[in-house]
């Protein structure tokens, strides 16, 4: 698990992008302070110094992680280096 990482998602396709940030707990799970509105998002993961996260996942421009959010639910993200 990616304990302590910060997960940031940025809305896609909106005139004014919305940004949401959450910090992962010791198990790597995270919850945003408020529910994400339905839509598409790009995600990035910022590690604390003690956690190794592949560099490509650390910006929304290079992460390649996109999410489609509906009403409710959980999304699992697996970060793997190539």
């Amino acid at each position: 698990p990616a304990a302590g990482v910060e997960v940031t998602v940025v809305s896609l396709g909106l005139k004014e992008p919305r940004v949401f940030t959450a910090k992962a707990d010791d198990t790597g799970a995270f919850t945003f302070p408020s529910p994400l509105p339905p839509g598409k998002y790009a995600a990035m993961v910022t590690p604390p110094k003690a956690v190794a996260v592949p560099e490509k996942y650390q910006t929304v421009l290079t992460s390649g992680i996109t999410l489609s959010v509906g009403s409710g639910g959980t999304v699992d993200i697996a970060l793997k280096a190539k």
Side-chain angles (χ1 to χ4, degrees):
V5 300
E6 183 176 87
V7 178
T8 303
V9 295
V10 179
S11 60
L12 299 174
L14 296 178
K15 191 173 188 175
E16 302 257 343
R18 295 186 65 190
V19 178
F20 300 86
T21 303
K23 187 169 183 173
D25 64 18
D26 291 341
T27 69
F30 59 91
T31 302
F32 293 101
S34 58
L36 299 179
K40 290 193 180 249
Y41 296 84
M44 68 181 211
V45 179
T46 306
K49 292 181 184 186
V51 176
V53 171
E55 191 174 326
K56 75 177 250 175
Y57 297 118
Q58 296 181 33
T59 75
V60 292
L61 299 176
T62 60
S63 78
I65 302 171
T66 56
L67 310 171
S68 290
V69 176
S71 55
T74 300
V75 176
D76 292 322
I77 301 172
L79 304 177
K80 298 178 182 176
K82 285 190 173 186

